[in-house]
Amino acid sequence: MHRVRLPDGTDVPALGQGTWLIGENKRRASKEESALALGIDLGLSLIDTAEMYGDGRSEELIGRVIKGRRHEVFLVSKVYPHNASRDGVQAACARSLKRLNVETIDLYLLHWRGGVPLAETVAGFTALKRAGKIGAWGVSNFDVADMDELLGVPGGDACAANQVLYHPASRGIEYDLLPWCARQKISVMAYSPFGHSGTPLRSKALTDVARRHGVAPAQIALAGAIRHPHVSVIPKAGDPAHVRENATAGKITLTAEDLAVIDAAHPPPRRKQSLDLL
Ligand SMILES: NC(=O)c1ccc[n+]([C@@H]2O[C@H](COP(=O)([O-])OP(=O)(O)OC[C@H]3O[C@@H](n4cnc5c(N)ncnc54)[C@H](OP(=O)(O)O)[C@@H]3O)[C@@H](O)[C@H]2O)c1
């Protein structure tokens, strides 16, 4: 399994599991729990959630799945921007810890930038880290200008990760944000690697490359994301067959020829593009 190093030296799996929309439907919950547990068994042990997902039900479902195996997973959760004041962040984290039924969240992210000054949010994150409630903190949906501003506030340089949209049909971050984060040793977590709807997986280029490797297009999309050494990726899969495919994507090495086929259909950015969001 590829691993990605956080600035504090912690190594996390490059392939993880997303949980947006998981836990929202009671009838699907037991299948989703099994899929998530299977993913952990297969090494997809970085688990991403947020207080937003299902109004906390995603965190509760994860809490049930990781009971007795907390030590096997690297847990990421996110705070709403409207809860991201110095005190608000600490109260929101306490609620997430309770729902997850754990003592510590390994990586706690600001879900997107809102109206609260960054200095306040960073002060809240710093207090949580000092109290041992979180292992590290980071942000999500921050472009280069936001990152520059973040690093300018007291304690902002402790940011460990930026979680952003990245898939074969959305490559804008390759122009500036990815290299910027690499220079700063801030890891990038790629969300919606299949474009959420799965549409990018129907690309002929991805299908052709997948056929050449004898794998599924989804595995090519994941291998493409984690070919960058500081990028991890968090596909969401409720179907166990999908979980199995995703777990083996780390074995695929894309050749220069594969990348040329993908580039021809989905050209890398030649100029600054504003950050795509979902
Ligand atoms: N920070 C943010 O603002 C933000 C925004 C969006 C997402 N996220 C995070 O990123 C995670 C992933 O993104 P996402 O949920 O938007 O969507 P995604 O991972 O791009 O796509 C999920 C869809 O792909 C399908 N799928 C999974 N594995 C597959 C495979 N091997 N082959 C074919 N289809 C496959 C899933 O189907 P099945 O479920 O049927 O398997 C599901 O319909 C989220 O769950 C969340 O944790 C963060």
Side-chain angles (χ1 to χ4, degrees), residues 18-20 48 53 78 111 140-141 163 191-196 201 218 234-239 242 245-246 278:
T19 64
W20 184 24
D48 177 73
Y53 299 166
K78 308 184 210 81
H111 207 149
S140 176
N141 297 305
Q163 186 181 109
Y191 75 68
S192 301
F194 311 140
H196 186 68
L201 300 181
I234 44 169
K236 175 258 169 189
D239 177 338
H242 287 160
E245 280 183 359
N246 298 346
L278 209 70

